[in-house]
Amino acid sequence: MDVAWMRAALGDMLADVEALVTCESPSADLAAVARSADVVARVGTRRLGVEPDRIVLDGRTHLRWRLGDGPVRLLLLGHHDTVWPLGSLITHPFTVDGDVLRGPGCLDMKAGVVMALHAAAALQSADALGDRASVTILITGDEEIGSPSSRELIEAEAARCAAALVLEASADGGALKTERKGVSVYQVRVAGRAAHAGLEPERGINAAVELAHQLLAVSALGPADRGTTVTPTLTTAGTTTNTVPAAGEFAVDVRVRDAGEQARVDAALHGLRPVLDGARLEVTGGPNRPPLSADASAWLYARAEVLAANLGLPPLTAAAVGGGSDGNLTAGVGTPTLDGLGAVGGGAHADNEHVLIAELPRRAALVAALVADCAHGLASVANRAQSIAPILVGTDDDERQ
Ligand SMILES: [Zn+2]
């Protein structure tokens, strides 16, 4: 189950990545996502000898394998949908060139899905789970659009697990993602009153001017020193060039490092009041993904560093990133979470998306080692997650918020 073992499986891994990448799966296309789920199910069944549960929620297809029956429960989490529209294979075909593999969604995160399946297969054949641990592999179909249908499923699975390992792509240079910002999204709508801009503009209430006041107020909410960003994005107002705008609206993208900031910004957004006489204001939206804080990943990352050294891998690096993933959801229910354990490469969502092939067996071996280590280290402890993390890291601190 070491790197050499995984390297022997590299041919199979590449074939599996090709099978997944060549079945396009844009999140919004339910039929395409269902077809992709069929491919993932077939590949996984071949590797694991077990068929997955096929869970269809709001038409979106998610897959779940449960392996082993020990008391220590661990979650391997990934998604098989991508941001690439149907037809992307024509302009971005699957290719293997030297150490570089390309194709739509290869890095984010079809290679990661394959790594999870092969890591689990290695654990099975080494009998590393035994009666100590059980592993749930959850591969969802709507991560790229914010997990609207899979969120509750992910949270429920994570809540029963002692740790969640997320096979999203690593950050630059192969860094694991030990911190992800929380995400909130808002819509600010302004209602004024239309009037002819030439004949009687004074009878109007200019929604664009009100909007301008609110844009400035909102953009001042994010103190950079705390890592909070509050960014007005899509903005519209008015109807014609000679009409006082009667309505306008803008979207707000909020990123925070801790839950306190998420609550502060939420209160401030919902506390906005109109500036112009007669203007009305409506704010909708709120927190979408909670932050994955450094606390949530600390002990798993510490174990990963040791295991990487044991496997003969170069020292690991860690990164705090602004983008959210389903790792935010698993951390949000209090489950220790380590993210970015998937493929190493670059260009996610972009033309130069690629995966470094030599890293596939290394990282798959690391994932397998991490699961085996958790299974071994946690087996003697009651399976309540709250009591597990502190024991593993040897501290009495029972805070997991
Ligand atoms: Zn992803």
Side-chain angles (χ1 to χ4, degrees):
M1 219 179 55
D2 56 6
V3 178
W5 200 99
M6 283 294 178
R7 223 169 254 143
L10 182 57
D12 288 341
M13 291 177 78
L14 291 175
D16 291 349
V17 175
E18 178 172 9
L20 265 60
V21 169
T22 52
C23 181
E24 295 177 311
S25 52
S27 318
D29 188 325
L30 303 186
V33 170
R35 283 196 299 274
S36 165
D38 288 343
V39 175
V40 177
R42 198 170 65 235
V43 165
T45 302
R46 188 185 309 134
R47 299 302 167 208
L48 301 170
V50 189
E51 287 191 24
D53 301 322
R54 199 183 171 90
I55 304 164
V56 181
L57 301 168
D58 299 337
R60 305 181 188 283
T61 310
H62 318 296
L63 299 173
R64 180 181 61 201
W65 279 269
R66 291 202 197 281
L67 308 170
D69 51 11
V72 177
R73 295 178 182 145
L74 303 163
L75 178 63
L76 294 180
L77 182 59
H79 64 88
H80 68 98
D81 61 315
T82 77
V83 297
W84 293 85
L86 290 186
S88 295
L89 279 168
I90 296 167
T91 50
H92 298 74
F94 175 84
T95 59
V96 172
D97 182 9
D99 188 38
V100 177
L101 173 161
R102 295 179 191 275
C106 63
L107 180 73
D108 186 7
M109 58 159 278
K110 291 188 169 177
V113 170
V114 169
M115 291 161 67
L117 296 172
H118 280 260
L123 289 160
Q124 277 183 324
S125 61
D127 204 16
L129 301 178
D131 54 7
R132 287 195 298 264
S134 53
V135 170
T136 297
I137 305 173
L138 183 62
I139 308 295
T140 62
D142 61 359
E143 193 274 345
E144 293 291 2
I145 52 171
S147 314
S149 76
S150 61
R151 179 177 185 135
E152 286 179 22
L153 177 64
I154 293 164
E155 290 176 340
E157 291 294 340
R160 62 195 286 286
C161 285
L165 305 180
V166 184
L167 278 284
E168 287 281 2
S170 61
D172 285 352
L176 300 190
K177 294 169 176 172
T178 50
E179 251 185 284
R180 280 187 186 271
K181 287 185 177 180
V183 184
S184 308
V185 181
Y186 298 88
Q187 199 69 22
V188 178
R189 292 188 184 81
V190 172
R193 184 166 62 229
H196 193 295
L199 298 178
E200 45 183 12
E202 68 284 356
R203 295 184 69 116
I205 300 169
N206 194 319
V209 174
E210 177 64 40
L211 206 67
H213 284 291
Q214 301 301 334
L215 279 168
L216 292 175
V218 165
S219 65
L221 288 173
D225 59 332
R226 298 188 63 178
T228 302
T229 58
V230 181
T231 310
T233 54
L234 188 64
T235 303
T236 58
T239 49
T240 70
T241 57
N242 59 353
T243 304
V244 174
E249 61 184 280
F250 62 100
V252 187
D253 178 295
V254 179
R255 310 276 164 151
V256 295
R257 289 179 63 184
D258 61 77
E261 276 294 278
Q262 200 161 33
R264 179 188 67 79
V265 173
D266 189 61
L269 257 298
H270 287 290
L272 291 173
R273 295 291 173 261
V275 175
L276 301 184
D277 278 349
R280 282 171 290 126
L281 198 59
E282 182 197 28
V283 179
T284 55
N288 174 256
R289 281 171 164 151
L292 192 183
S293 71
D295 301 356
S297 61
W299 68 268
L300 283 168
Y301 183 71
R303 290 308 303 161
E305 281 187 305
V306 172
L307 296 166
N310 292 350
L311 289 167
L313 302 179
L316 294 177
T317 54
V321 296
S325 88
D326 287 335
N328 293 68
L329 302 181
T330 60
V333 295
T335 302
T337 297
L338 187 57
D339 202 341
L341 282 162
V344 179
H349 299 197
D351 283 338
N352 66 336
E353 179 163 0
H354 65 279
V355 167
L356 298 179
I357 293 170
E359 295 291 342
L360 290 172
R362 294 182 189 147
R363 288 299 166 97
L366 179 62
V367 170
L370 207 42
V371 171
D373 184 73
C374 289
H376 186 77
L378 306 182
S380 59
V381 191
N383 70 349
R384 273 189 68 243
Q386 281 87 341
S387 61
I388 284 170
I391 288 169
L392 194 73
V393 295
T395 131
D396 294 320
D397 182 2
D398 200 12
E399 291 265 324
R400 292 200 316 137
Q401 266 40 282

